[in-house]
Amino acid sequence: MTGTAGSSSGAAAAGDIGVQPYWELTFDADGDPDAGQRDRLVAGAARERVTDLLVFAHGWNNDRSMATSLYGRFFAPFPAMAGAGVRLGYAGVIWPAMRFTDEPIPNFPPAPAGLPTVPAGPPLLEDATLRALAWCFPGRELTLRRVQELLAGRPEARSAFDEYARLVRDLVSVRANSPAERLAEDLGTGMPAMLTDDPLGVCEIFTAALEKCGHQELFGDGLKRLWNGAKEFLRQSSYYGMKRRSGVVGQLGLGPVLGALVKSAPSVRIHLIGHSFGARLVSYALRGMPAGDTAVKSATLLQAAFSHYAFAARLPHDPDHGGALQGVQQRVDGPMVACFSGHDSALGMLYPLASKLSGDSASFLGLFDRWGAIGHDGIQAVDGTRSVRLGAAVPGAGCVNIDASSVVRDGPPPAGAHSDICHGELARVVLGAGRVTRE
């Protein structure tokens, strides 16, 4: 039977997203899970006789309702596609990420055609975004208020940009001796250049990038115009915080939870799905699972917002070093699938800029080769990686790249199609990778 069958009260208590049995897994910024939710999943998967558990981690979202709406939309076609004898279970990861108010919610309907467009305006930090930032970075309310004041005032002075940069850097700093800091030290990763270089130069480059992405007419001229880039600097810096946090939640949170699940229900086949930074989260979950565990039968990365060299044993520009997740794909007893799109301007332009950003040039040459994201051009520099067309059979093992540009194509600037992921074609990729599609 498929995932439309009845469910236990423990699964139903997580909320009705249209498919059952469904469980939620909520984690805090340090990767600590909600113990009750964890225990309900671990016990419920065996009680429900689940054969295949789909675990989905969202990218940027402001609250639980946005995440569960995404899960409901994405999972909707799955029950009808599952093969005979398959009993699907569904798990949605809820973790503290955020979305700026000018970004699309994954696959929410766009505004009806013919409505008047909103005229270009100053790059303000809206109250709703400020509240979301305060939720994601608790204890930084005064810092955020001053950031909001500077964006509203747009002072034409270098000192104002210097102050703004100091505030943003303080916002995304991590607590001393926190799990996030310890994990970063373990991986040997440091602060991105955008958080250390000349603030005025950084804002100038982001302003140029917004224009190149086809953003609406930017507000102001002279130094006032660079406050458009200053808001993008805030966005990308907060994403850096979310990117770092996704690794913590994955490795220290989701990985151990999945390990406990396998002990309780060893026959359950696990299929990981992640969107944006959620793709990074599920990849780090593999790193956090017990060594030798073979329960994960597939992993599907949708518009993944981390380096396309993450799984490489050797970096093309630095052969003495490998990617932060080198070899982790081998912990999947099946394929590691990356779906990417050329219509994703968040990853095609802004992500590599934020990753590289030297501050010394507005040139975009060479960005994509060294600093590109998986969601822009797939997994790179991993031997044996195969590319298949969307709709074709997914290979049974190894890294697989699928260009999903034909369906992942809609969305306004600056993010473009980054959140356009709820499509039946992508559902078929997930189930095909897991070998649970109806023939």
Side-chain angles (χ1 to χ4, degrees):
M1 58 185 165
T2 69
T4 55
S7 63
S8 71
S9 59
D16 182 10
I17 67 164
V19 292
Q20 293 292 344
Y22 170 72
W23 295 270
E24 280 182 4
L25 286 171
T26 301
F27 297 90
D28 66 16
D30 290 333
D32 293 327
D34 179 302
Q37 291 180 342
R38 176 198 60 204
D39 294 346
R40 283 192 289 274
L41 170 63
V42 169
R47 183 174 58 249
E48 292 283 345
R49 303 186 303 281
V50 169
T51 62
D52 293 81
L53 180 70
L54 302 157
V55 181
F56 196 162
H58 64 76
W60 54 70
N61 284 280
N62 275 358
D63 54 32
R64 173 184 173 275
S65 65
M66 289 183 182
T68 54
S69 177
L70 166 63
Y71 299 152
R73 286 168 171 265
F74 189 82
F75 284 140
F78 278 65
M81 294 180 179
V86 173
R87 166 65 162 164
L88 294 180
Y90 307 85
V93 175
I94 309 294
W95 63 286
M98 68 156 292
R99 179 187 67 91
F100 277 60
T101 54
D102 60 347
E103 293 162 352
I105 300 170
N107 279 94
F108 271 45
L115 289 182
T117 57
V118 178
L124 300 175
L125 180 59
E126 303 85 351
D127 286 343
T129 298
L130 186 146
R131 289 192 296 271
L133 284 166
W135 172 71
C136 257
F137 301 102
R140 308 294 172 85
E141 288 81 1
L142 292 178
T143 295
L144 286 165
R145 287 293 180 190
R146 181 56 181 155
V147 166
Q148 187 181 49
E149 290 173 359
L150 287 169
L151 282 172
R154 302 179 300 284
E156 297 185 80
R158 172 177 285 275
S159 60
F161 286 92
D162 291 340
E163 179 189 4
Y164 182 86
R166 285 195 302 271
L167 294 167
V168 172
R169 290 161 184 166
D170 176 67
L171 177 70
V172 300
S173 63
V174 296
R175 290 185 295 108
N177 298 316
S178 67
E181 183 182 64
R182 291 194 295 273
L183 182 57
E185 290 174 351
D186 177 43
L187 297 177
T189 55
M191 196 78 75
M194 69 175 175
L195 293 174
T196 60
D197 287 350
D198 172 57
L200 201 62
V202 168
C203 294
E204 184 176 9
I205 291 178
F206 274 129
T207 300
L210 289 173
E211 293 175 324
K212 195 172 182 68
C213 285
H215 201 279
Q216 66 179 359
E217 182 181 351
L218 300 183
F219 185 85
D221 51 24
L223 288 183
K224 282 188 178 296
R225 186 176 184 80
L226 298 189
W227 285 101
N228 295 282
K231 183 177 180 182
E232 189 60 34
F233 169 55
L234 171 64
R235 187 199 312 268
Q236 296 300 326
S237 296
S238 70
Y239 289 168
Y240 162 70
M242 296 304 100
K243 178 180 176 182
R244 180 179 54 206
R245 183 176 292 174
S246 68
V248 171
V249 174
Q251 183 168 330
L252 304 183
L254 181 59
V257 168
L258 295 179
L261 169 65
V262 172
K263 285 185 179 180
S264 174
S267 64
V268 173
R269 306 169 75 248
I270 298 171
H271 308 281
L272 301 178
I273 310 160
H275 170 233
S276 187
F277 291 136
R280 190 174 192 266
L281 191 157
V282 299
S283 298
Y284 272 84
L286 290 166
R287 199 171 185 257
M289 291 186 70
D293 198 311
T294 60
V296 175
K297 301 302 181 182
S298 69
T300 304
L301 313 180
L302 305 172
Q303 301 311 116
F306 63 107
S307 172
H308 56 193
Y309 295 140
F311 301 108
R314 291 178 299 279
L315 301 176
H317 55 277
D318 186 6
D320 293 332
H321 295 89
L325 289 167
Q326 58 179 297
V328 166
Q329 70 275 13
Q330 296 169 8
R331 298 192 180 192
V332 180
D333 187 25
M336 167 78 79
V337 182
C339 294
F340 65 92
S341 172
H343 302 295
D344 185 339
S345 51
L347 300 184
M349 177 59 68
L350 296 173
Y351 173 88
L353 258 186
S355 299
K356 177 253 186 191
L357 213 72
S358 65
D360 59 357
S361 170
S363 171
F364 301 109
L365 296 176
L367 280 177
F368 311 113
D369 291 340
R370 180 167 178 177
W371 303 103
I374 289 174
H376 173 67
D377 59 359
I379 296 168
Q380 301 295 317
V382 174
D383 292 342
T385 298
R386 297 177 60 182
S387 296
V388 301
R389 63 177 178 81
L390 183 64
V394 178
C399 292
V400 180
N401 289 328
I402 297 178
D403 186 346
S405 299
S406 61
V407 294
V408 180
R409 56 182 304 139
D410 294 328
H418 183 66
S419 293
D420 184 21
I421 61 167
C422 294
H423 298 283
E425 293 88 343
L426 298 184
R428 289 190 181 279
V429 168
V430 172
L431 292 175
R435 298 299 188 265
V436 288
T437 309
R438 179 173 301 184
E439 295 297 334

